Amino acid sequence: MGFEHELIIPNEGFPFKLFQFEGKDGHYVREKHWHRSIEIFAVFEGTLAFFINEEEYPLGSGEFILLNSNEIHSISSPEANRTIVLQIPMNVLRNVETGEGLILFTHSPKRQDSKIMELIGSMYQELQERGSEYEWKVQSDFFMLVYLLLTKYRKREILPEEIRHYRKLNRLSTITGYIRENYTKELSLEMVADRFGYSPSYLSRMFRKYAQTNYKTYLQNVRIEYGFQEFANTDHTIGEIALNNGFPNQKAFTREFKKKYGILPSEYRRGQKNAKD
């Protein structure tokens, strides 16, 4: 599988995006991807398996993982869990002084870990309940969390290869961002190459070198992930979802769904229905 760039849209009225992980019901795989935002996965119940540059980081209840901007990662969620995800766009830190023009964080066990979990849990609860003046409490928790990240988790020495890696993925993210915005449309390699002023052969080499996949596989990965979200959150038919997400027919969607999630769409939907009954 290849890597893909994910677009981050903050919660309305706040400088971050906070939400419950979409793999909460299990039977979920998020393929290798990256985004410009910093990301924290905080597991409150259950377990997750994270993979960063092919290295596995298992997470249990009460643990979190901190991901840097443009850090390639994937997620496996075979079982039900309660995980809250916080995404912080890099422009939030635009006024932080850095000689390299790049901010990176490291995650190693520290006494502040429990405080990070507490702050994320509080922010999520306040956003759900929306009590009196909740916005001030959420903002207060958020800026305390950012303060802890900068003072306790920030890397002070950044290697030259880390800077090159960041710039490499930053270059491709403009193109993959366009693909994610237009994945329901006809998007041939030739059409996308022409839009960005490249030859098809050059764009193809760019995907193989930087994303370690071919263009067609990358596009299919984007479509099946958006299709999964529609499938899990609506009562649309499989045929409707296939056409809504750029697949030529129901058979093509079902094939990709089974390949990625290890279960047929019909089996997944029956499981959802049984869980609600």
Side-chain angles (χ1 to χ4, degrees), residues 27 40 52 58 73 78 83 104 119 132 181 190 209 228 240 242 246 258:
H27 295 294
I40 298 175
I52 304 175
H73 57 283
T83 301
L104 294 178
L119 290 168
S132 176
E181 290 174 349
E190 290 75 17
K209 180 178 180 180
F228 175 86
E240 288 173 331
K258 178 66 163 59

Side-chain angles (χ1 to χ4, degrees), residues 25-68:
D25 298 322
H27 295 294
Y28 183 86
V29 175
R30 184 73 163 90
E31 296 293 351
K32 292 177 181 177
H33 65 287
W34 78 94
H35 32 73
R36 292 177 179 145
S37 294
I38 300 158
E39 186 169 50
I40 298 175
F41 272 70
V43 180
F44 289 87
E45 296 175 12
T47 61
L48 289 180
F50 256 82
F51 299 86
I52 304 175
N53 297 323
E54 308 301 332
E55 185 173 351
E56 182 175 2
Y57 294 84
L59 292 182
S61 179
E63 298 179 328
F64 75 88
I65 194 163
L66 174 59
L67 298 159
N68 286 300

Side-chain angles (χ1 to χ4, degrees), residues 207-223:
F207 268 88
R208 287 198 301 270
K209 180 178 180 180
Y210 294 160
Q212 297 183 9
T213 188
N214 61 59
Y215 175 83
K216 182 179 179 180
T217 299
Y218 173 82
L219 179 58
Q220 288 293 82
N221 284 340
V222 172
R223 286 172 169 166

Side-chain angles (χ1 to χ4, degrees), residues 22-244:
E22 63 268 24
K24 63 184 183 299
D25 298 322
H27 295 294
Y28 183 86
V29 175
R30 184 73 163 90
E31 296 293 351
K32 292 177 181 177
H33 65 287
W34 78 94
H35 32 73
R36 292 177 179 145
S37 294
I38 300 158
E39 186 169 50
I40 298 175
F41 272 70
V43 180
F44 289 87
E45 296 175 12
T47 61
L48 289 180
F50 256 82
F51 299 86
I52 304 175
N53 297 323
E54 308 301 332
E55 185 173 351
E56 182 175 2
Y57 294 84
L59 292 182
S61 179
E63 298 179 328
F64 75 88
I65 194 163
L66 174 59
L67 298 159
N68 286 300
S69 171
N70 281 351
E71 190 164 43
I72 297 168
H73 57 283
S74 61
I75 312 159
S76 174
S77 172
E79 306 293 340
N81 62 87
R82 188 168 75 87
T83 301
I84 307 303
V85 184
L86 174 64
Q87 295 170 330
I88 308 172
M90 286 301 294
N91 61 15
V92 170
L93 306 177
R94 60 183 177 274
N95 293 325
V96 177
E97 290 187 12
T98 168
E100 305 85 2
L102 175 62
I103 297 175
L104 294 178
F105 298 93
T106 182
H107 179 256
S108 56
K110 296 183 175 69
R111 285 179 296 177
Q112 289 77 20
D113 283 7
S114 60
K115 185 61 177 178
I116 296 289
M117 294 292 296
E118 177 187 331
L119 290 168
I120 291 176
S122 173
M123 290 167 60
Y124 186 76
Q125 182 177 346
E126 292 289 341
L127 283 171
Q128 296 302 302
E129 296 177 354
R130 296 180 178 267
S132 176
E133 310 296 345
Y134 78 97
E135 300 96 333
W136 295 99
K137 179 62 166 64
V138 173
Q139 294 276 25
S140 174
D141 287 344
F142 174 67
F143 286 113
M144 174 55 72
L145 186 147
V146 171
Y147 169 77
L148 288 177
L149 295 184
L150 289 172
T151 56
K152 306 299 182 182
Y153 295 95
R154 183 180 173 188
K155 291 182 68 173
R156 297 298 172 179
E157 295 185 9
I158 301 178
L159 301 174
E161 54 264 34
E162 291 177 310
I163 296 175
R164 287 195 296 270
H165 173 79
Y166 178 89
R167 290 173 177 168
K168 177 178 67 176
L169 288 177
N170 211 34
R171 181 185 183 194
L172 189 59
S173 66
T174 302
I175 299 171
T176 55
Y178 173 80
I179 293 171
R180 292 184 72 86
E181 290 174 349
N182 296 277
Y183 68 95
T184 62
K185 304 174 184 177
E186 174 64 29
L187 283 181
S188 68
L189 174 66
E190 290 75 17
M191 292 169 61
V192 175
D194 182 67
R195 178 176 180 83
F196 288 93
Y198 298 127
S199 69
S201 60
Y202 182 85
L203 182 59
S204 179
R205 289 196 300 273
M206 183 184 292
F207 268 88
R208 287 198 301 270
K209 180 178 180 180
Y210 294 160
Q212 297 183 9
T213 188
N214 61 59
Y215 175 83
K216 182 179 179 180
T217 299
Y218 173 82
L219 179 58
Q220 288 293 82
N221 284 340
V222 172
R223 286 172 169 166
I224 195 61
E225 286 181 356
Y226 278 104
F228 175 86
Q229 292 177 28
E230 182 178 347
F231 186 76
N233 296 297
T234 74
D235 58 0
H236 297 167
T237 68
I238 298 175
E240 288 173 331
I241 293 170
L243 296 179
N244 289 345

